[in-house]
Amino acid sequence: MATVLVVDGANVVGARPDGWWKDRAGAARRLHEALLVADLPQDRIVLVLEGQAKGGVRPGRDAHVHTVHAPKDGDAAIVATVREALEKGDRVTLVTADRMLQARCGGATALGPSWLLDQI
């Protein structure tokens, strides 16, 4: 059983008013780079990106961080990612402040963006 951290990229980036809206791709890239070097307890990290943010990080695996480009909306991709990991028997932690998304991802432990931002 692995531990998986699923990151709602849009929600985490949007939690800090640092001008991310001027350069969504750059904000996604900075988050990805921070996740690569962060000392987090999970075995794997899945970063889900949507919209313009996808331009900042290519999809696929870099070390222990796997980037997923949502084909439409990020929430659907996050739900699918969480369900897939849970079906494998993994312990999943979801990082998002979106209460509706947390409810759709039953079985995953939910933490807010501030937790992750404090870690990285």
Side-chain angles (χ1 to χ4, degrees):
M1 173 172 50
T3 56
V4 181
L5 183 71
V6 178
V7 179
D8 179 348
N11 197 267
V12 172
V13 166
R16 190 182 299 172
D18 61 359
W20 60 265
W21 53 89
K22 297 176 193 171
D23 181 12
R24 294 169 195 259
R29 184 178 57 257
R30 289 188 297 278
L31 174 58
H32 179 261
E33 290 169 353
L35 291 171
L36 284 172
V37 298
D39 185 20
L40 296 168
Q42 288 79 13
D43 299 316
R44 285 186 301 128
I45 299 170
V46 180
L47 172 61
V48 179
L49 300 175
E50 62 185 339
Q52 294 176 351
K54 295 188 291 188
V57 184
R58 66 178 175 76
R61 185 173 306 281
D62 288 316
H64 62 290
V65 178
H66 182 83
T67 302
V68 172
H69 283 184
K72 291 194 178 229
D73 68 290
D75 287 4
I78 290 166
V79 170
T81 300
V82 168
R83 284 187 182 154
E84 180 181 325
L86 290 171
E87 287 171 2
K88 289 181 186 176
D90 294 337
R91 286 191 358 231
V92 180
T93 301
L94 170 63
V95 179
T96 186
D98 184 331
R99 300 278 184 197
M100 295 292 286
L101 181 57
Q102 290 174 7
R104 291 176 60 195
C105 293
T109 300
L111 296 172
S114 60
W115 173 84
L116 181 60
L117 293 170
D118 287 346
Q119 305 301 309
I120 60 175

